[in-house]
């Protein structure tokens, strides 16, 4: 059975309208106070209902069923992977690992300019393991603690952290949802992503260098309070690292989905929490007791359900034929390089997850160099505007009234220069991959 082209069909047009309305509601989440997962979940269900009707009318219900199962499999792998990663991050937070890091940085006694560089570097490397959202929140808390008497430092520090967190996530399969999607789809091997290390670093260094002289040349007077991690904190960090190694090994050596390796890693954490709970109960040490199921409960379900809605809605548009149409316009008419750069710029306005999923669904014939390019642009293009990434949106909420859309916009030109410099560096350094 051949796929139907429903781009001009009433079901296709209605589905496109539903998707646009749902995405507008996501964009205005802050003003409507409606969780972003709700409109996209509704849109996904309605779009697939329309697909089911259209395919049934054409006598091809089996084809629609087959497409739906493919997308369920893709989302299922992503869901299992993320639920483990987020649970580990939640557990590290519960064990006070991020509080310890924040207090140690505050206690270094450095000036604003040195702290500007240090927080940027830490955000860049942390986001290659943690997601860019968690990294931005942790480092944003540091910047706000240090710059409570200096709003200018907070603004420039937050901008640097957003750019660094997004850039650091682009060179690691674990750094961003988009890189994870590309890796799980098998477009690039685990170690191929690290070819983006230098371009990603340049993406942050260029705007950071331009902003550096605007950072106040003063020293903060920060109160230092002693914070100790809970017992088992180091063990959780080690098991998280071991879980990542397990996931990579499942993919590279056993040719199994990395999500299975992550679930095995969740088993490591369950056993570690059992040990800490038994030992803590026996010693009467409440700080030692760890309930890993509570950390699973604290998973951000709005985010995971948003991914469900977006992946199924965009996947539905692909089944209807819209992504093939977009692929023809972008990748055939303009060529992959221009197409990938444009999609990256779009991610400053539209969330990078549906954009990357759309590209993966289009599945244009591209070299490894081009797949790395779309990974780079889709991961870093969102830094140009504060609303272009989860990191920027989260920091606007955390530093409300100080780090704003307008404050970020003043430095968008510098971030855009970093974006273009990173692309140029990739085209030169990794020329052999094209």
């Amino acid at each position: 059975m051949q796929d139907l082209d429903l781009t001009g069909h009433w079901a296709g047009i209605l589905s496109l309208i539903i998707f646009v309305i749902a995405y507008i509601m996501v964009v205005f989440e802050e003003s409507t106070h409606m969780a972003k997962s709700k409109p996209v979940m509704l849109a996904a269900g309605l779009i697939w209902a329309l697909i089911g009707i259209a395919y049934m009318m054409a006598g091809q219900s089996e084809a629609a069923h087959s497409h739906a199962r493919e997308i369920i499999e893709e989302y299922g792998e992503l869901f299992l992977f993320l639920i483990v990663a987020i649970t580990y991050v939640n557990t590290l937070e519960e064990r006070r690992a991020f509080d310890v890091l924040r207090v140690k940085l505050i206690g270094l006694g450095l000036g604003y300019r040195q702290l500007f560089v240090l927080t940027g570097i830490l955000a860049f490397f942390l986001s290659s393991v943690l997601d860019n959202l968690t990294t931005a929140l942790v480092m944003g808390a540091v910047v706000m603690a240090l710059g409570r008497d200096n709003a200018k430092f907070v603004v420039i520090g937050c901008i640097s952290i957003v750019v660094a967190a997004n850039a650091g996530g682009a060179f690691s399969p674990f750094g961003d949802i988009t890189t994870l999607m590309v890796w799980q789809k098998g477009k690039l091997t685990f170690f191929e992503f690290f070819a983006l290390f230098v371009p990603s670093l340049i993406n942050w260094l260029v705007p950071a260098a331009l902003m550096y002289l605007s950072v106040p040349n003063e020293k903060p007077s920060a109160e230092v309070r002693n914070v100790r991690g809970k017992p088992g904190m180091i063990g959780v960090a080690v098991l998280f690292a071991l879980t990542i190694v397990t996931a990579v090994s499942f993919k590279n050596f056993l040719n199994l989905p990395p999500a299975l390796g992550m679930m095995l890693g969740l088993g490591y954490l369950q056993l570690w929490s059992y040990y800490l709970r038994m030992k803590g109960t026996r010693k009467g040490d409440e700080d030692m007791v760890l309930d890993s199921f509570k950390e699973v409960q604290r998973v951000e379900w709005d985010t995971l359900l948003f991914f469900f809605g977006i992946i199924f809605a965009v996947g539905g548009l692909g089944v209807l034929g819209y992504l093939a149409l977009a692929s023809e316009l972008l990748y055939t008419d303009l060529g992959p390089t221009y197409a990938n750069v444009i999609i990256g710029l779009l991610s400053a306005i539209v969330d990078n997850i549906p954009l990357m999923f759309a590209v993966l669904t289009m599945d244009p014939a591209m070299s490894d160099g081009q797949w790395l390019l779309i990974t780079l642009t889709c991961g870093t293009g969102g830094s140009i505007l504060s609303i272009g990434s989860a990191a920027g949106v989260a920091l606007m909420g955390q530093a409300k009234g100080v780090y704003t859309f307008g404050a970020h916009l003043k430095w968008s030109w510098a971030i855009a220069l970093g974006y273009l410099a990173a692309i140029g560096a990739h085209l030169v350094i990794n020329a052999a991959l094209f």
Side-chain angles (χ1 to χ4, degrees), residues 139-359:
M139 300 313 301
V142 176
V143 165
M144 287 170 62
L146 292 166
R148 59 188 171 188
D149 301 321
N150 197 311
K152 189 175 183 181
F153 170 73
V154 173
V155 170
I156 298 177
C158 283
I159 295 170
S160 171
I161 285 168
V162 169
V163 178
N166 289 334
F171 75 88
S172 164
F174 296 94
D176 193 83
I177 302 301
T178 52
T179 56
L180 178 60
M181 290 164 73
V182 173
W183 181 45
Q184 290 202 145
K185 195 74 172 177
K187 295 300 178 185
L188 297 166
T189 64
F190 182 83
F191 294 103
E192 279 184 299
F193 286 92
F194 296 101
L196 290 176
F197 176 79
V198 173
S200 296
L201 186 60
I202 289 171
N203 181 269
W204 169 69
L205 281 176
V206 170
L210 293 168
M211 289 189 289
Y212 180 79
L213 292 178
S214 295
V215 178
N217 192 15
E218 302 167 17
K219 198 172 182 179
S221 55
E223 270 182 39
V224 178
R225 60 188 183 92
N226 189 31
V227 174
R228 295 182 63 184
K230 288 186 178 181
M233 179 187 76
I234 300 298
V236 173
V238 169
L239 289 177
F240 190 16
L242 183 59
T243 296
I244 292 171
V245 171
T246 303
V248 174
S249 299
F250 266 55
K251 175 75 172 176
N252 288 0
F253 304 122
L254 303 179
N255 199 29
L256 292 171
L260 285 175
M262 292 296 285
M263 291 303 289
L264 175 56
L266 184 59
Y268 304 158
L269 181 62
Q270 296 285 3
L271 288 177
W272 184 240
S273 70
Y274 173 77
Y275 166 75
L276 291 175
R277 181 168 60 84
M278 296 300 289
K279 187 174 180 181
T281 303
R282 190 167 62 249
K283 294 176 68 174
D285 186 349
E286 283 297 317
D287 265 1
M288 182 175 286
V289 174
L290 172 62
D291 185 347
S292 60
F293 288 112
K294 281 187 178 177
E295 304 315 313
V296 176
Q297 288 172 357
R298 290 202 303 125
V299 166
E300 181 55 63
W301 286 101
D302 179 39
T303 300
L304 289 174
L305 293 176
F306 171 73
F307 292 158
F308 167 85
I310 281 294
I311 286 172
F312 272 82
V314 173
L317 294 181
V319 173
L320 291 163
Y322 287 109
L323 297 186
L325 188 64
S327 181
E328 180 72 23
L329 290 171
L330 285 169
Y331 287 96
T332 303
D333 295 348
L334 292 177
T337 301
Y338 287 113
N340 289 334
V341 172
I342 290 169
I343 289 171
L345 291 172
L346 281 174
S347 71
I349 304 167
V350 181
D351 192 89
N352 62 355
I353 293 164
L355 287 174
M356 181 59 86
F357 187 76
V359 173

Side-chain angles (χ1 to χ4, degrees), residues 107-135:
L108 291 175
L110 301 174
Y112 283 127
R113 288 187 172 179
Q114 289 87 352
L115 286 164
F116 170 80
V117 174
L118 183 58
T119 52
I121 291 171
L122 283 173
F124 181 81
F125 285 102
L126 273 176
S127 65
S128 65
V129 180
L130 307 178
D131 64 283
N132 59 352
L133 174 59
T134 302
T135 300

Side-chain angles (χ1 to χ4, degrees), residues 352-384:
N352 62 355
I353 293 164
L355 287 174
M356 181 59 86
F357 187 76
V359 173
L360 289 169
T361 305
M362 294 177 201
D363 199 17
M366 295 197 297
S367 63
D368 285 2
Q370 291 292 355
W371 280 110
L372 285 169
L373 178 60
I374 187 60
T375 301
L376 176 68
T377 59
C378 222
T380 61
S383 301
I384 296 172

